[in-house]
Amino acid sequence: MDHSRISAVAEVVDDAMHGDDVWIASSCAFCYGSCSIRAHRVDGVVVKVEGNPDSVVGKGRLCGKGISGLMTHYDPNRLTMPLRRTNPRKGLDEDPGWKEISWEEALTEIADQLRRVREDDPRKLMIQRTTTVTAGRVPLGAFANAFGTPNTSVAGGGLHCGNGAHFLSGLMHASWSVVPDFQYCNYAMFFGASKGHGAGHASASNMGLAADARVRGMKMVVVDPMCNFAAAKATEWVPLRVGTDGALALAMCDVMVNELDIYDLPYLQAKTNAPYLVGPDGLHVRDPETGKPLVWDERSRQARPYTDAASADMALFGEFEVNGARCVPAFEKLREHLKKFTPEWSERITTVSASKVRRLAREFAEEARIGSTIQVDGVTLPYRPVAAIAFRGAQGHMNSVYNFFAIDLLNQLVGAADVVGSCLGFNPACHGYPETGRLAYVPKPGPDGLMVTGMWMGYHYPYPLPEPKLPVQLGLQELFPLSMNSPFQASSDQEALWQKFDLPYRPEVLLNFGANILMSIANKEAVAESLAKYKFFASIDLFLTETTQFADIVLPDCGYLQTLDSRSNFPFIFSLPGGMGEWCWPIRQPVVPPIGQQRRFQDVLLELADRIGIRADLNAAYNSAMNLEPPYRLEGDRKYTYEEICDAELKCNFGPERGLDWFKKNGVLKWPKKPQEVYWRPFVDVRVPVYWEFMIPVYEKMDAIAAPRGIRIPREYYEPLPDFLPCLSHKCQKPGFDFYAFYYRDIIHTNSFTMENAWLDEAAQLDPFSYAIAINAQSARKRGLHDGAMVWVESESGRRVKGRVRLTEAIHPEGLGIAACAGHWAPGMPVAKGKGVFFNELLDLDWEHASPANLNLDLCARVKVTLVENGK
Amino acid sequence: MNIRWDEVVDRTEFVPSPPVRHCAVPRPDEYAFAVAGSVDVNVWLYGTLSACTTERPITLKLSLPFSVREVLAELRTRCGDGFEQRIVGCNGTKYSFCRIFVNGVPNEDLDSSVHVDSCPPTIEIILVTCTEGG
């Protein structure tokens, strides 16, 4: 391609901007944290991006990725023209033969394809988007809902992170993620999480909060195979074998309950289902009339529905006879269950010594200060200054669900859930914007009194679990109610699975927004095969990525400094910082105009909707997604611009005076949080499940659908209480395969996207680990490996990657850590090309490597490391 | 000493839900457009549901007062037996991914009477089946 046309920045400067010198408030999009920024524009050129001190989201702080944003914006390799593929063959080594075409030609062809599949079967359209650009969530989702396809994907960002972390955070904390209450927490345990250390939701905000907490004296214990960004700043690093976090947490729970006898009894009685009676079949014993679970009422000495007894009178221990059957409270069941997870058992699995497990459990339990209260802004609240949090590291495995369940049990046992100092969901309850009453939400009781989130990122709530069904989605998610994202949209065995479930259609058209699934999910060969099957593939992108190289039509997108988003940090459960402070609503607004023929993806989707005749459906989908109410609802098939849609949302939420113009000028709107919102749990009559009775009927229904079709779903993944289930890598017996390979988020990179940024690439080259393979120094020397040696890393199934090893003491002796999602090969990303190691090539992408519980892909691999000899 | 969780705070301090925007249902004879106690209801089906029928909007004649569940039952006769199964589960509750708006206001209670004021009521239904992640 000839990029010379965009080499001179001056060519794209709007005349109106000559002579200007302005700071413009907006939002970053270098990760999904969406920190608030302000961009300095001089003579129409962005010369600096920094954090916006007026906003709660970052409070003026911005990470190195955000600071570097202008380098991506002005990257001469940005796409600026629509392109058509001229080579019909699609493959990893095929040259697409790109030819520049007009927008009219591109949109006509895409609209023809969309119209054709919609008339045939709208489910044949697959829409995927990157998680990095949160501005894509509503427009792409609305388009899918208007079109009528349930088939959407958020690529590797969703599949690798979301299934375990978000389900559990929603079920237990009514939020997308959890974080320590940094302002009050005294003892935080991080299990494979980096909240507060440069990545993830509310990234820059949490960095500041975590730093302040450490200065205040918060003890921070990081459980992680590698001592990198979080552990390096911790009070204590606890290295463990990859993928065994759940075993460590279960052993800590056992010590707290069975050795120390420390737990928050009133919390368990009032706020969990611990008192619910469980019969011999594992199900709750229920009131015959109402169907409500029974508890044993110590006061009246009889079983009563949980709604009819005072929580203080509910028994947590003992055995009772109810209607002729022996039964025990769920907590009694849990206590017995935990006895098998002794610290000695855990040591064999995790390599963390039994004595250390006992010490950690004691420290955590004692620091919880069970029974204490504290005043915040004049309100007396429970005070539990401990938190155990987890994210991608702990949950990216076959045992994803149980790992997270076990870790959160630590919080639940001591009542450290959404109270002062404890494990907090990100903003699960909000009284709403005071002047309009809009944006109010709060968790509420659902079936059996268990908590239903007040706000979620979509409409598939974690609880109550949907009824398992014969799947009609490409990812088979209807059969797996604990899942969100699925590997089967691109897996090597997708056709065999679709046949087994009699899927009545096959995907034909793929619409991609910025996702690079060839790199972000697993090995590229499997994904390439799935991509090549589409009859038509249109990609809206900033660069010719590896995935976009498979497209038939490429549309040049605007970057985050050129686009508009009326809700860059909403829903508040996603990336608005938790804890006390202020509610804050920033927007993302254009700082500079498009370059060449770039167009905003939101405008492209509106145009496509008009061309295929679904504008009324799209307006309705926006009404639903933004909860627009009269008089701001979008009407009929009126052709609104995206500015008008954003304006409607802002005015609907904040009143007619605070529309898009107000936000463009003022940047953010803030109002104070109340203690009753942040520490909502004592105020809301909901319980959370420490005993997952619902898993029993769910499994039976799933099995009834799957077993007759030759699919065996292992029952052990669907028990009401957590267990440790090994990953495939833990079972490997092959000689020489003595390392557990894993990848970790590099602090200076976001997924595969930022590798093309020249400043970040330079920083990565200065970092000894960003583009290398981290390996324990002693383990390496035993195998004759020296620092800087070029090695092959080969998985059990024969997949292999090459890279240079870096010897370090800061990794578990069995661990092999690879940073980020590097190793690009596309010619359209020349800065990124050939840099770093493509870890995901080691990952198999099939049924066998997916969690039977939530479809999370197993993200570790047992590997053999050998020296590269003579370049081979 | 262990403080009772259910005694720590006064739970009335929390406002659990936004103010209800509906008014009381007026008597049938108050509707200028109602004929003999019945009313025309315009139903808009969007997205994948729009394929159920070529009629848009679908105009239903319902006796006053009526609920959304009665609207769904009437739609079944127009759109086939499978229609309701896409909206409600086997226990009769609406799927969370089905969004119903009555005169532009979200409706979660299928059994409450639909408020009707100065013009024929409009019911909008859309399935928002996309899953989320990240």
Side-chain angles (χ1 to χ4, degrees):
Chain A
M1 278 189 65
D2 174 16
H3 295 291
S4 59
R5 64 187 174 280
I6 59 166
S7 60
V9 168
E11 288 179 18
V12 300
V13 173
D14 193 309
D15 283 346
M17 294 179 186
H18 278 299
D20 70 357
D21 185 341
V22 291
W23 287 89
I24 298 170
S26 189
S27 299
C28 186
F30 261 58
C31 79
Y32 50 67
S34 298
C35 293
S36 297
I37 58 169
R38 51 184 202 160
H40 191 190
R41 191 184 71 203
V42 178
D43 284 338
V45 178
V46 183
V47 297
K48 186 177 171 73
V49 176
E50 62 181 34
N52 182 358
D54 294 334
S55 173
V56 169
V57 190
K59 291 187 175 173
R61 298 180 183 91
L62 195 60
C63 73
K65 292 166 285 196
I67 298 291
S68 307
L70 67 163
M71 293 303 285
T72 293
H73 173 72
Y74 288 122
D75 188 328
N77 301 295
R78 286 272 306 274
L79 287 161
T80 59
M81 289 283 292
L83 302 174
R84 173 195 292 286
R85 177 185 209 89
T86 58
N87 178 1
R89 291 187 306 277
K90 293 183 179 179
L92 289 166
D93 299 320
E94 294 289 347
D95 178 357
W98 296 119
K99 178 190 164 197
E100 291 182 355
I101 58 173
S102 69
W103 270 99
E104 179 57 32
E105 189 178 345
L107 291 173
T108 299
E109 180 159 346
I110 296 170
D112 287 347
Q113 294 285 352
L114 291 175
R115 206 179 293 111
R116 176 182 66 76
V117 292
R118 191 164 193 264
E119 283 167 8
D120 178 14
D121 185 339
R123 296 174 299 185
K124 291 183 176 181
L125 172 65
M126 173 79 182
I127 295 179
Q128 67 183 18
R129 67 174 177 87
T130 172
T131 55
T132 305
V133 182
T134 54
R137 197 177 76 81
V138 167
L140 270 296
F143 190 86
N145 292 328
F147 192 87
T149 180
N151 291 314
T152 56
S153 159
V154 283
L159 185 58
H160 286 201
C161 293
N163 279 346
H166 303 318
F167 171 73
L168 267 291
S169 298
L171 184 73
M172 309 301 275
H173 297 274
S175 184
W176 200 241
S177 292
V178 291
V179 70
D181 183 15
F182 286 119
Q183 292 165 81
Y184 293 94
C185 184
N186 291 335
Y187 193 102
M189 285 194 79
F190 284 53
F191 290 80
S194 56
K195 295 280 190 289
H197 302 87
H201 309 88
S203 170
S205 309
N206 283 334
M207 275 192 281
L209 290 166
D212 291 345
R214 291 194 302 271
V215 169
R216 182 175 53 79
M218 179 187 82
K219 180 168 182 178
M220 184 176 151
V221 177
V222 173
V223 178
D224 199 308
M226 193 166 176
C227 180
N228 49 29
F229 312 110
K233 293 185 170 66
T235 321
E236 180 176 357
W237 169 45
V238 180
L240 85 173
R241 181 175 285 147
V242 174
T244 62
D245 308 66
L248 177 62
L250 285 167
M252 286 179 64
C253 290
D254 173 50
V255 173
M256 285 159 60
V257 172
N258 290 312
E259 294 186 16
L260 301 175
D261 206 26
I262 298 179
Y263 36 82
D264 190 339
L265 193 113
Y267 172 81
L268 291 163
Q269 288 173 310
K271 297 293 176 183
T272 75
N273 67 350
Y276 292 7
L277 294 172
V278 179
D281 55 2
L283 297 171
H284 289 316
V285 180
R286 292 175 182 274
D287 177 43
E289 281 183 27
T290 63
K292 290 179 180 174
L294 297 173
V295 297
W296 187 260
D297 182 357
E298 300 272 29
R299 187 176 295 268
S300 65
R301 297 184 173 279
Q302 61 177 321
R304 305 178 70 184
Y306 72 95
T307 47
D308 296 358
S311 60
D313 297 327
M314 295 177 182
L316 291 187
F317 306 103
E319 188 180 68
F320 309 97
E321 188 170 317
V322 177
N323 301 331
R326 304 299 294 175
C327 53
V328 298
F331 191 70
E332 180 74 62
K333 197 100 176 158
L334 173 64
R335 185 168 68 159
E336 277 303 305
H337 175 78
L338 289 173
K339 284 180 179 170
K340 64 183 175 184
F341 306 116
T342 63
E344 287 72 22
W345 164 87
S346 165
E347 180 175 335
R348 290 191 293 276
I349 291 171
T350 65
T351 73
V352 179
S353 71
S355 60
K356 188 179 282 188
V357 173
R358 287 194 168 90
R359 175 175 60 79
L360 293 170
R362 178 177 289 279
E363 287 176 1
F364 188 88
E366 290 180 349
E367 187 55 53
R369 307 185 190 194
I370 292 168
S372 62
T373 59
I374 191 171
Q375 276 211 347
V376 176
D377 288 358
V379 181
T380 302
L381 294 155
Y383 178 49
R384 301 288 183 279
V386 296
I389 68 158
F391 200 57
R392 154 66 188 88
Q395 64 91 57
H397 299 281
M398 296 286 278
N399 48 23
S400 172
V401 173
Y402 285 159
N403 273 358
F404 214 103
F405 186 2
I407 291 163
D408 195 58
L409 263 183
L410 293 168
N411 299 315
Q412 301 299 334
L413 285 172
V414 297
D418 305 295
V419 294
V420 184
S422 73
C423 176
L424 295 183
F426 282 57
N427 310 302
C430 176
H431 281 182
Y433 178 59
E435 292 182 24
T436 62
R438 288 270 301 178
L439 311 175
Y441 59 88
V442 63
K444 56 184 179 292
D448 295 348
L450 301 181
M451 180 176 70
V452 179
T453 61
M455 174 65 68
W456 199 236
M457 298 301 291
Y459 286 94
H460 295 77
Y461 299 124
Y463 184 83
L465 287 181
E467 192 99 339
K469 284 181 179 174
L470 184 66
V472 293
Q473 290 188 34
L474 297 172
L476 314 179
Q477 290 102 320
E478 301 102 317
L479 182 61
F480 298 90
L482 277 70
S483 74
M484 287 189 289
N485 307 286
S486 167
F488 307 130
Q489 293 160 334
S491 69
S492 57
D493 55 355
Q494 58 177 195
E495 179 57 37
L497 289 166
W498 292 341
Q499 285 182 20
K500 284 186 175 174
F501 288 110
D502 296 321
L503 198 80
Y505 66 97
R506 294 293 180 272
E508 290 188 9
V509 173
L510 173 62
L511 181 60
N512 178 53
F513 169 66
N516 191 358
I517 60 165
L518 259 176
M519 292 193 69
S520 69
I521 292 182
N523 74 85
K524 59 181 180 296
E525 289 77 14
V527 181
E529 191 181 334
S530 73
L531 282 177
K533 287 180 193 165
Y534 286 99
K535 290 181 180 173
F536 182 79
F537 172 13
S539 188
I540 303 171
D541 220 329
L542 298 176
F543 298 96
L544 279 174
T545 67
E546 287 72 12
T547 300
T548 291
Q549 285 281 87
F550 274 67
D552 294 286
I553 301 273
V554 179
L555 302 178
D557 192 22
C558 286
Y560 76 109
L561 293 173
Q562 302 161 302
T563 196
L564 180 67
D565 179 13
S566 53
R567 45 162 55 197
S568 51
N569 293 85
F570 189 79
F572 297 140
I573 61 167
F574 189 76
S575 64
L576 192 77
M580 289 299 289
E582 292 171 299
W583 299 102
C584 184
W585 188 290
I587 66 160
R588 184 176 282 114
Q589 62 173 313
V591 178
V592 282
I595 299 170
Q597 293 194 32
Q598 293 165 348
R599 287 190 190 179
R600 285 191 315 213
F601 71 92
Q602 300 97 328
D603 299 331
V604 172
L605 295 173
L606 293 174
E607 171 77 21
L608 287 171
D610 290 337
R611 287 179 181 241
I612 60 177
I614 59 167
R615 175 60 89 126
D617 303 81
L618 188 58
N619 285 346
Y622 270 113
N623 285 335
S624 170
M626 294 176 164
N627 267 320
L628 300 181
E629 293 188 14
Y632 299 106
R633 280 176 76 79
L634 310 183
E635 294 173 359
D637 58 359
R638 188 173 146 191
K639 291 180 170 49
Y640 297 91
T641 63
Y642 196 62
E643 277 80 1
E644 288 173 319
I645 294 171
C646 291
D647 188 56
E649 175 173 42
L650 295 169
K651 285 177 176 167
C652 188
N653 287 337
F654 305 112
E657 303 301 318
R658 293 196 175 88
L660 184 57
D661 288 342
W662 187 93
F663 274 89
K664 280 185 172 180
K665 186 179 171 192
N666 293 278
V668 298
L669 181 64
K670 296 181 287 188
W671 66 99
K673 287 181 180 176
K674 299 172 193 163
Q676 293 90 337
E677 295 173 310
V678 176
Y679 308 115
W680 55 275
R681 202 177 282 255
F683 300 91
V684 182
D685 197 13
V686 297
R687 294 170 181 267
V688 293
V690 295
Y691 182 86
W692 292 10
E693 187 227 27
F694 51 76
M695 294 285 258
I696 296 172
V698 158
Y699 175 79
E700 283 165 4
K701 287 168 188 165
M702 293 172 67
D703 190 53
I705 295 169
R709 294 165 188 274
I711 300 281
R712 183 190 165 269
I713 300 172
R715 181 184 285 272
E716 59 265 32
Y717 283 84
Y718 287 86
E719 296 293 344
L721 292 169
D723 205 337
F724 173 74
L725 300 174
C727 298
L728 293 178
S729 61
H730 296 127
K731 298 176 186 169
C732 174
Q733 299 291 324
K734 274 189 173 178
F737 286 75
D738 39 14
F739 286 101
Y740 291 88
F742 63 95
Y743 79 88
Y744 60 95
R745 285 179 169 183
D746 192 2
I747 199 165
I748 51 175
H749 279 304
T750 299
N751 306 330
S752 66
F753 167 56
T754 52
M755 304 282 162
E756 176 61 19
N757 185 292
W759 284 354
L760 295 174
D761 171 55
E762 191 178 334
Q765 292 191 54
L766 294 170
D767 184 312
F769 294 101
S770 283
Y771 290 154
I773 298 168
I775 195 166
N776 182 276
Q778 277 192 315
S779 304
R781 290 194 189 103
K782 274 186 202 167
R783 291 159 182 80
L785 301 174
H786 59 86
D787 194 55
M790 188 64 85
V791 298
W792 283 110
V793 178
E794 182 181 336
S795 76
E796 250 193 300
S797 56
R799 304 193 172 282
R800 62 180 198 165
V801 294
K802 191 161 69 173
R804 205 169 287 284
V805 293
R806 280 287 172 216
L807 273 51
T808 173
E809 302 296 334
I811 190 167
H812 188 274
E814 298 170 357
L816 186 147
I818 296 176
C821 185
H824 283 265
W825 60 89
M829 301 181 76
V831 176
K833 188 179 175 186
K835 307 272 177 63
V837 180
F838 179 40
F839 169 84
N840 285 349
E841 183 63 22
L842 298 171
L843 299 178
D844 289 288
L845 183 59
D846 55 23
W847 167 264
E848 195 189 0
H849 292 82
S851 162
N854 66 1
L855 302 182
N856 215 94
L857 200 62
D858 201 9
L859 300 177
C860 56
R862 197 72 169 266
V863 295
K864 179 169 72 176
V865 179
T866 52
L867 274 169
V868 172
E869 292 178 0
N870 302 323
K872 295 181 180 174
Chain B
M1 182 190 132
N2 209 344
I3 302 285
R4 293 295 321 168
W5 259 82
D6 41 3
E7 291 170 0
V8 171
V9 292
D10 175 3
R11 66 188 63 200
T12 59
E13 288 182 35
F14 201 93
V15 181
S17 56
V20 177
R21 283 177 286 274
H22 294 273
C23 323
V25 180
R27 295 192 316 275
D29 57 9
E30 290 178 323
Y31 310 124
F33 49 88
V35 179
S38 67
V39 66
D40 285 345
V41 181
N42 290 325
V43 181
W44 290 84
L45 302 179
Y46 294 115
T48 185
L49 295 176
S50 66
C52 296
T53 172
T54 53
E55 189 184 348
R56 204 178 197 195
I58 302 170
T59 303
L60 306 176
K61 192 170 284 295
L62 291 166
S63 301
L64 287 165
F66 68 93
S67 66
V68 171
R69 197 179 294 283
E70 288 165 80
V71 173
L72 296 179
E74 189 64 25
L75 285 172
R76 186 176 56 200
T77 65
R78 303 279 190 101
C79 303
D81 286 342
F83 180 82
E84 235 175 324
Q85 293 165 20
R86 302 173 75 177
I87 310 293
V88 294
C90 44
N91 61 359
T93 54
K94 181 177 75 64
Y95 289 127
S96 56
F97 57 78
C98 174
R99 303 220 64 205
I100 299 177
F101 296 87
V102 178
N103 296 328
V105 177
N107 180 288
E108 293 298 320
D109 182 0
L110 299 183
D111 296 311
S112 65
S113 294
V114 169
H115 172 65
V116 181
D117 46 24
S118 58
C119 56
T122 298
I123 313 280
E124 297 168 275
I125 310 177
I126 186 167
L127 301 183
V128 288
T129 48
C130 304
T131 47
E132 271 292 344

